[in-house]
Amino acid sequence: MNSENILIKVEDIKAYIESGILELYVLGDLNHRERTEVENMLVKYPELKAELNLIEEALALYAEKTAIEAPGYMRDRIIGSIEKDIRDNSDNITGNETDDKKVISHKQFNFYKYAFAACLILLLVSTYLLYSLNGKLQQSNAQIASLQTEKQQFAKTVSFKNGELEVFQDASFKFLNLQGTGKVPNAKLTIAWSPVKRKVWIDLKSIQMPINDKSHQYQLWAIVKGKPIDLGVFDKTADTTKDMKEMKPIELADTFAVTLEPQGGSAVPTMDQMMVIGKF
Amino acid sequence: MSKKGKISLSEDELILALRNKDKIAMEALYDMYSASLFGVISRIIADSTIAEDVLQESFVKIWHSFSSYDAEKGRLFTWMVNIARNLSIDKTRSKDFKNNIKNQDIENNVTIIDEQNSSVYKPELMGVRELTEKLKPEQKLILDLIYFKGYTHVEASEELGIPLGTIKTRLRLAIIELRKYFN
């Protein structure tokens, strides 16, 4: 029974070999299922493996017999290209991951570095511009203020000059030269008075009186029916002025006089300090 | 033409060196098998520049996919020649190749190359004619179609109008003739 089994097995294997499937296997001419089947058979039956070996050997020798030498340069070209692959691969394996991270973090660091520098430069430029603009603004404001002051002064001057002009244009103004008294005989002051308009001006240009010190001022008086009425104070300064000065208004007066009084004037004239006097 | 400096290892030694990715394995692999592989490639691709490219691609693929080689399933050369043959066939089926190379008659191609080899090459190939004389023409045709042209036996059957069984039988007989010859 045993021998019969073996006989059948040998017959089967012979038939398997005769089918030519091993040749197709060697030539890579089987689909995946057929290939797996042959591989399983090869493991089970050493006879098949031996037959396979002979087929492979014959085809390898056939290939050797029909071999064609590749040109000499191909050896270096092929071995070189594989060596290069090996080098590239080992470079990749050893250094790739950490290098990538380094590169990324280095790039990030560079980005922040440059961003920070850019911000700093922007800040400095902005600060400089702010200061410079602020300076210009203050300059402009000062100019505007000074122009406004000038304008006001100019307006004041104009209105003042208009007032001065009125003195000469208005026929109701009367001019009176006040003459020095015993104290300063050659003292002089010209005043203009309009009883109609109740205005009194003194001509500062015409003052011929000593320069008063800082604790004293000259005071103009109108004598109405024997009583002195204060018309305001004025100064004789070192610098000559061509202006006139409007004093306090008065409607009725017959005599005008100037006395030297303490700074700010007095309620009652100090008679022994009378400088000039005149009568209409 | 001398083989001086060429490296030769036993198949077991070579497999071990290839597993270790030793540089010497690459050199031995080239020295031992490049001509056989180039012969197969050149019979599929007549253009020598393209054939050289495919030879290089084959070695690169052999080197990189060596881990998938299983000695239990067959010899190293069988595995390699199938890689080279498949890459060659892929090339002939690519658009570029079809555009550039006018298809030559299969039989003529093999014959022309063999004739070139006989005239240009060398004593060691002198046996080719003698060998092919041992094969019946119909056996040689089928062997060349499948071995050198990468036809499947189904394609060969369709191409030649011969039943599948007959193709298989002729192929087996052709290989048996080779075995006898090399013994």
Side-chain angles (χ1 to χ4, degrees), chain A residues 29 56 65 75 77 83, chain B residues 23 56 75 78 125 153:
Chain A
D29 190 8
E56 286 189 285
K65 275 287 172 199
R75 189 178 195 273
R77 190 177 125 184
E83 280 178 335
Chain B
K23 193 199 168 194
Q56 180 168 348
R75 292 176 140 220
T78 304
L125 291 174
H153 61 285

Side-chain angles (χ1 to χ4, degrees), chain A residues 171-184:
Chain A
S172 68
F173 275 97
K174 292 181 269 189
F175 294 88
L176 176 65
N177 288 321
L178 306 184
Q179 299 297 325
T181 59
K183 187 172 159 58
V184 188

Side-chain angles (χ1 to χ4, degrees), chain B residues 154-165:
Chain B
V154 178
E155 286 168 346
S157 159
E158 284 164 2
E159 174 82 15
L160 302 173
I162 297 170
L164 268 182

